Amino acid sequence: MGTKSVGLRRLHSVTAAGLGMVAGVIAAVAAQRGTLDAINRRLERLEEQASNQQRANLAMQQRQHWELLSKAIDDPELAEVLDLYEVPVTTQKRRQYLFANAAYTNLLNYHRIGNLTLDEFFKHARALFQNAIVRDYWEATRHDRDSLEGTEEAKIAQMIDELLLQLDEADTGEWWVVGEPPTDQ
């Protein structure tokens, strides 16, 4: 009987030691889980800050773009610096193209910073490209867009090109229903 009680005590001791180890492991895992949760929260905040900074950078770049275009629109000598069209254009046409560039770039950046979905961008672009001068500008700058292959801007430009084809081929005067707005991915 003494042997049974020693064996039973050893079993209890081993069980207690095992339970202590399990409790220790659970405590360690819980502590690590808390640390991992804190790290994940910090990463999420950093990603949000990076996204906010990117939007701020795009907004700053858009302001600078507008300032440059404004100077070129106001000063024909400066506008000549931006005259990269394949065919000669008049001073008036150049100013119009610069403004068309500003209008399109504003719309594009509005989408990039997240203020417009791709669907909304498409609908605004469909309206913008009802203007003959904007369409002329688009055609005059085709060679510039050809160099953007593989970029997000090239994909959007291709979407605009397809929309313009659909508008030209449409047998309806109701331009606002032409084309299938893309879905945001």
Side-chain angles (χ1 to χ4, degrees):
M1 220 179 203
T3 310
K4 280 188 180 180
S5 101
V6 170
L8 197 52
R9 275 187 258 159
R10 283 187 187 156
L11 181 60
H12 286 302
S13 297
V14 169
T15 302
L19 287 175
M21 288 175 62
V22 168
V25 168
I26 290 173
V29 168
Q32 285 180 343
R33 179 66 185 175
T35 301
L36 288 174
D37 287 345
I39 290 170
N40 281 334
R41 286 190 302 273
R42 175 89 171 124
L43 282 174
E44 287 170 3
R45 281 194 307 273
L46 288 172
E47 287 172 352
E48 185 178 337
Q49 288 172 348
S51 179
N52 290 339
Q53 184 62 49
Q54 182 180 18
R55 284 192 296 276
N57 290 345
L58 277 170
M60 174 72 80
Q61 190 278 328
Q62 184 173 355
R63 274 191 299 278
Q64 291 172 340
H65 181 255
W66 173 245
E67 288 173 16
L68 289 170
L69 287 180
S70 292
K71 288 178 181 184
I73 289 169
D74 293 341
D75 185 337
E77 289 177 11
L78 293 178
E80 288 180 25
V81 173
L82 298 177
D83 189 343
L84 305 173
Y85 313 112
E86 290 188 5
V87 295
V89 296
T90 65
T91 300
Q92 176 187 359
K93 182 65 76 174
R94 186 181 307 119
R95 290 180 75 205
Q96 291 172 333
Y97 283 3
L98 292 172
F99 192 80
N101 173 282
Y104 173 75
T105 302
N106 181 61
L107 184 61
L108 179 63
N109 285 333
Y110 209 54
H111 165 65
R112 283 181 171 163
I113 63 174
N115 288 348
L116 288 177
T117 65
L118 190 57
D119 177 73
E120 292 167 328
F121 170 85
F122 179 86
K123 291 173 182 177
H124 286 284
R126 182 169 51 197
L128 178 65
F129 282 92
Q130 292 308 302
N131 184 288
I133 295 168
V134 175
R135 283 190 180 209
D136 288 346
Y137 155 77
W138 192 255
E139 187 57 38
T141 57
R142 178 168 304 284
H143 64 280
D144 293 337
R145 288 187 305 284
D146 289 344
S147 68
L148 301 174
E149 188 176 329
T151 66
E152 175 195 10
E153 192 170 345
K155 290 175 188 170
I156 290 175
Q158 182 178 359
M159 178 184 73
I160 298 293
D161 288 341
E162 290 170 9
L163 169 64
L164 292 176
L165 281 174
Q166 292 170 358
L167 285 167
D168 289 343
E169 294 172 354
D171 59 353
T172 178
E174 298 175 342
W175 59 264
W176 55 91
V177 298
V178 174
E180 191 63 33
T183 56
D184 285 313
Q185 298 167 352

